[in-house]
Amino acid sequence: MTRTARTRRLTLATGACAAVVGLLGVAASAQATAPTAAPDIPVADIKADLAKFQSIADANNGTRAHGTAGYQASIDYVKGKLDAAGFTTQVQEFNSGGAKGYNLIADWPGGDESKTVMSGAHLDSVPAGPGINDNGSGSAGILEVALAVAKADLKPTKHLRFGWWGDEEDGMIGSSHYVDSLGADTAKLDSYLNFDMIGSPNPGYFVYDDDARLEKVFKDWFASKDIATEKETEGDGRSDHAPFKDAGVPVGGLFSGADYIKTDAQAKAWGGEAGKAFDACYHESCDTSKNIDDTALDNHTDAIAQAVWELSS
């Protein structure tokens, strides 16, 4: 081999190595920026929480409404599971309608508290019924996501916080009290994610469009599962994201539908029955543990988990 040939071969080899290194670097970069995958949340675990909420209502005149023993028992149940999992919990008191109300706040240790990702759901039912879809479903969904955080011993870059709100049914009383109590600390909230009804029996898949970044996280997850989504409009301003939004916090969330009627196009996209309400038992005594679509409950909760993992990384 001549020196010129050897030099040319060395040059080619060096270039090939550089190309390989470059490709590996691109692959590593892509891997580093890919969203962290969340675990699958077993729907059986969410259903077990809903069964507990039903049993609590059954033991307390069929309700878990603000100011009742059923609501207090619901708070105690959720708090007990979070305490056992290693969360730092706080019960925040407020007064509404002549009765004591309670919010439950749970913080996972670690992460930058100046960039807190918060997920929330109201825990109270209406007086007329046990409120298993509205809003045992959202409450159980975020509870199981929180417990998955603990099981994974997640080490998020941003701080993680979860909230269960009291007396939403009288006009977001509990969540408004919490936001007011934060004062200037609302600036520390990177985002607030709200989940009010995620297991409707004739379900839809609605994504809050209040913040483009948060909306994209949810829409991307559903797109990866070939599930069509629509912009959420039915509950705009009618649930616990409203006080956060009014305070300037970026908000997002999911909703499976209440008493609006499912259209033909929606039934074609999602299944179920056109011409009937997403939840015919909305605010009624029949909102029991039978008033749940397991697939919708499972899909929405897995989407919540992905958002929590991705947004806190």
Side-chain angles (χ1 to χ4, degrees):
M1 181 185 295
T2 66
R3 181 176 181 182
T4 301
R6 185 169 63 249
T7 301
R8 184 181 296 116
R9 185 167 295 182
L10 286 170
T11 301
L12 290 171
T14 302
C17 289
V20 170
V21 170
L23 288 171
L24 290 173
V26 169
S29 177
Q31 186 177 16
T33 58
T36 303
D40 178 75
I41 308 299
V43 71
D45 294 348
I46 315 165
K47 294 275 286 182
D49 295 327
L50 297 183
K52 180 63 178 181
F53 291 148
Q54 180 69 61
S55 69
I56 287 171
D58 290 344
N60 290 281
N61 300 312
T63 188
R64 300 183 305 102
H66 163 71
T68 69
Y71 182 76
Q72 181 66 65
S74 298
I75 281 279
D76 292 343
Y77 170 71
V78 175
K79 184 178 186 298
K81 296 198 80 170
L82 293 165
D83 287 342
F87 280 83
T88 299
T89 61
Q90 173 194 359
V91 176
Q92 184 184 51
E93 296 185 1
F94 59 90
N95 291 298
S96 176
K100 187 76 74 177
Y102 305 96
N103 295 324
L104 174 63
I105 311 300
D107 286 273
W108 181 243
D112 184 354
E113 292 189 17
S114 71
K115 297 177 180 178
T116 295
V117 175
M118 186 170 193
S119 302
H122 76 86
L123 186 55
D124 62 315
S125 72
V126 293
I132 300 304
N133 187 37
D134 184 19
N135 184 38
S137 61
S139 292
I142 67 167
L143 173 59
E144 290 304 323
V145 171
L147 296 177
V149 166
K151 185 176 181 180
D153 195 22
L154 192 64
K155 307 292 185 186
T157 301
K158 298 176 184 176
H159 186 66
L160 281 175
R161 181 175 298 156
F162 297 83
W164 288 261
W165 311 120
D167 205 15
E168 184 271 351
E169 297 293 2
D170 288 320
M172 295 89 73
I173 305 299
S175 56
S176 295
H177 177 79
Y178 175 74
V179 172
D180 289 345
S181 74
L182 288 178
D185 282 348
T186 55
K188 296 180 180 180
L189 294 180
D190 169 87
S191 50
Y192 172 73
L193 308 176
N194 193 59
F195 306 101
D196 190 350
M197 303 174 65
I198 60 170
S200 301
N202 190 27
Y205 290 88
F206 298 96
V207 178
Y208 292 17
D209 68 337
D210 301 89
D211 181 88
R213 172 178 64 104
L214 304 178
E215 180 186 15
K216 185 177 186 300
V217 170
F218 289 118
K219 291 182 75 172
D220 285 352
W221 187 89
F222 283 112
S224 74
K225 306 299 179 182
D226 293 323
I227 298 172
T229 59
E230 286 188 15
K231 178 173 67 174
E232 197 285 313
T233 57
E234 180 182 348
D236 194 24
R238 291 174 52 192
S239 192
D240 294 297
H241 61 291
F244 290 88
K245 183 177 178 179
D246 291 345
V249 178
V251 300
L254 302 174
F255 177 56
S256 58
D259 53 350
Y260 280 32
I261 302 302
K262 179 177 279 189
T263 66
D264 289 337
Q266 289 169 333
K268 184 176 181 180
W270 298 324
E273 296 185 64
K276 293 190 176 182
F278 292 97
D279 184 357
C281 289
Y282 175 65
H283 285 187
E284 302 290 342
S285 60
C286 56
D287 186 10
T288 67
S289 55
K290 297 179 181 179
N291 191 48
I292 290 288
D293 182 89
D294 289 4
T295 299
L297 184 69
D298 191 17
N299 285 331
H300 281 100
T301 305
D302 286 343
I304 295 168
Q306 182 57 40
V308 167
W309 254 252
E310 186 172 338
L311 291 169
S312 65
S313 63

